[in-house]
Amino acid sequence: MAAERWQNFSPGDLSVALPEVVAGDVPAAIVAATDAAAMWARTPLAERIERMRAAQQALAAAKDELARGIALETGKPLTEALGEVGAVIAKIDLTIGDAEEHLTERTILGGPHPAVVRQSARGPAVVIGPFNFPLHLGHGANVAHLLAGNPVIFKPSPLAATVAARYVDLFAPHFPPGVFQLVQGGGAEGEALCLDPRVRAICFTGSVPVGRALALKLAGDFAKDVALELGGSNALIVCADADLGAAAQAAADGACLTSGQRCNATTRVIVERSVAAAFEHKFLDALAGYEPGDPRLPATKLGPVISAAAVARYEKLLGELRGDWLLAGQVEPVVAGKRGHYVRPAVIRREGDGATDAECFVPLVSFFVADDLDHAARLQSATPFGLTASLFTRSEDTFRRLGAELEVGNLYANLPTTFSPSTLPFGGWRESGNGRPGGRGFIRFTTREQAVQWTGF
Ligand code: NAD
């Protein structure tokens, strides 16, 4: 049977066709990873690190090329894409530090016998990536698993297949055969990889429905660790004492970075009533700075969304949501002479709590007015997600009190909901993840821990 093939078109310029992609050979990749597992687990950490450093240099040398590839294939503005590749390179240093700490055997004193706690490699790992950070998110898990001694099969988003392939071309040659492999494909290939019993760890970054379906299918496989990094519906709460200008700019940035296609995007703004009108003006002013443009140009802040399906979802939301549109939003089929998937930011003032919201993943913000901070906290928790939340207030006391009520994995004061540096863990609570935070420290979920004690020698 002929392999499945597809071709991506640049979402910022649909006249640009990317190279044809062929779906990968899942069984062959699993055999190669399984064959390499014992050898890679035995390879000393110092050698794994040395290889990783060489791979880092190869990525650093191709930084601009990779950033251009992200901008072209996903529509992410070039400046953001450069930031993503910078994070990819920096992630290696952070993860090496984490590996040296986590993988070191710990002596346990005070027990009945001499004892240590040690970490052992799990075996082949599958890393499934989303389109919106096509390199950075998969890469974080790739690096941690490789340093932990697990061969990795990386299945990127089919929507970012070309730039992902280039990343793997640069990275994989620094490891022995079978240790780091690419499998292109969509849901079928992803699922086949994840369900194979020889695969011992999964890091899935993607949407809640796909993550949940996968978790259900894997529920009986206790040998597998399954890390799920899923979606969000993140609120920025503006308290009456906030710096309204800073809050407005942060809300606009959080809504429009990557055209709203970030798991930590600001999709809800909750404002205390006494400052709602003043905040609204500043927020709309700040959004005016987000004009759709060609993502390949350094000045562009708002690129296209990823696909015609994303434009259709945006239009559906414009048609279905009920409330007062503060910013009407609009599809722009042509920008600067280029046909693409461009849309403008939209803001709707809504009554009620928006409890039925699904993740919107386009630059569209629901604006809620809260009677007081308790009401704000209720609005924040009205969706099932728990990824990030930010409070704008000048009172540390308010931040601590209100913040303690918010069930999110990432909590900020006076920062955009998208402010997620690699120096920290990053993971969702509630429906946003299953408690295996990515980002800093992900290496904890790449190993099996063994308690060892001895006597009678
Ligand atoms: P998606 O769920 O459509 O796809 C994600 C990946 O899963 C793709 O590689 C896809 O091919 C693969 N896949 C699809 N079906 C599968 C299956 N049955 N088994 C295994 N793999 C399968 O998500 P997307 O549209 O690419 O990315 C956007 C989503 O990712 C959003 O929901 C966003 O919030 C989420 N996300 C979360 C984080 C986080 O860290 N929490 C970060 C970025 C993106």
Side-chain angles (χ1 to χ4, degrees), residues 80-96:
E80 283 189 56
L82 277 164
E84 175 169 354
V85 182
V88 162
I89 295 161
K91 173 70 88 179
I92 291 178
D93 295 320
L94 292 166
T95 312
I96 287 174

Side-chain angles (χ1 to χ4, degrees), residues 128-133 137 155-159 185-188 190-191 194 204-208 210-211 214 217 229-232 262-263 359 361 387 426 428 432:
I128 308 264
F131 77 82
N132 63 331
F133 277 87
L137 291 173
K155 197 210 74 66
S157 166
L159 301 171
E191 187 166 315
C194 292
F204 171 87
T205 308
S207 59
V208 172
V210 177
L214 194 57
K217 289 187 176 152
E229 286 291 353
L230 307 177
R262 287 195 182 195
C263 55
E359 191 180 23
F361 233 53
L387 196 53
F426 182 77
S432 292

Side-chain angles (χ1 to χ4, degrees), residues 19-381:
E20 197 175 60
V21 187
V22 180
D25 183 340
V26 170
I30 289 180
V31 167
T34 308
D35 288 350
M39 172 276 299
W40 188 238
R42 276 196 314 269
T43 301
L45 179 59
E47 185 185 329
R48 290 184 221 141
I49 291 175
E50 196 181 319
R51 289 175 177 279
M52 190 60 77
R53 291 262 182 236
Q56 182 185 37
Q57 279 176 15
L59 293 177
K63 183 175 178 183
D64 290 343
E65 179 202 341
L66 288 169
R68 283 195 305 273
I70 293 172
L72 184 71
E73 194 167 18
T74 71
K76 180 179 284 196
L78 187 62
T79 43
E80 283 189 56
L82 277 164
E84 175 169 354
V85 182
V88 162
I89 295 161
K91 173 70 88 179
I92 291 178
D93 295 320
L94 292 166
T95 312
I96 287 174
D98 288 348
E100 285 170 332
E101 190 180 323
H102 177 71
L103 302 176
T104 300
E105 193 172 279
R106 279 183 294 134
T107 300
I108 305 297
L109 301 173
H113 301 293
V116 294
V117 172
R118 67 187 179 204
Q119 307 297 326
S120 65
R122 297 191 68 94
V126 165
V127 174
I128 308 264
F131 77 82
N132 63 331
F133 277 87
L135 303 189
H136 178 51
L137 291 173
H139 172 75
N142 294 338
V143 173
H145 275 296
L146 289 170
L147 288 172
N150 301 325
V152 171
I153 303 172
F154 175 41
K155 197 210 74 66
S157 166
L159 301 171
T162 305
V163 70
R166 183 66 187 125
Y167 156 80
V168 175
D169 280 349
L170 292 160
F171 204 72
H174 301 281
F175 299 92
V179 168
F180 185 55
Q181 301 178 82
L182 172 73
V183 167
Q184 298 280 21
E189 288 74 16
E191 187 166 315
L193 286 167
C194 292
L195 298 191
D196 192 288
R198 289 164 289 185
V199 167
R200 295 306 173 92
I202 293 166
C203 180
F204 171 87
T205 308
S207 59
V208 172
V210 177
R212 178 180 288 110
L214 194 57
L216 285 170
K217 289 187 176 152
L218 291 169
D221 187 347
F222 302 148
K224 251 179 212 149
D225 188 77
V226 184
L228 300 173
E229 286 291 353
L230 307 177
S233 174
N234 312 290
L236 184 145
I237 299 177
V238 185
C239 303
D241 69 345
D243 175 338
L244 297 185
Q249 190 60 53
D253 295 345
C256 293
L257 283 172
T258 322
S259 302
Q261 301 166 117
R262 287 195 182 195
C263 55
N264 53 10
T266 306
T267 50
R268 296 178 297 147
V269 170
I270 301 167
V271 192
E272 272 203 280
R273 190 173 298 283
S274 62
V275 293
F279 174 82
E280 180 187 318
H281 289 302
K282 290 182 191 295
F283 182 37
L284 296 184
D285 277 354
L287 286 170
Y290 280 95
E291 188 66 24
D294 185 335
R296 294 166 295 182
L297 302 177
T300 296
K301 288 171 68 184
L302 184 69
V305 293
I306 186 73
S307 61
V311 174
R313 196 173 62 251
Y314 171 86
E315 286 184 298
K316 191 162 180 274
L317 287 166
L318 291 189
E320 282 180 2
L321 289 178
R322 292 287 159 254
D324 292 335
W325 288 98
L326 306 179
L327 193 59
Q330 193 175 314
V331 175
E332 297 281 0
V334 179
V335 164
K338 307 272 190 293
R339 227 166 34 84
H341 301 309
Y342 293 98
V343 302
R344 287 185 174 277
V347 182
I348 183 167
R349 179 170 166 166
R350 299 173 65 183
E351 302 299 329
D353 62 11
T356 58
D357 274 4
E359 191 180 23
C360 72
F361 233 53
V362 285
L364 190 158
V365 175
S366 292
F367 187 106
F368 297 92
V369 175
D371 297 328
D372 52 34
L373 293 181
D374 289 337
H375 186 202
R378 286 199 302 280
L379 288 168
Q380 187 281 333
S381 61

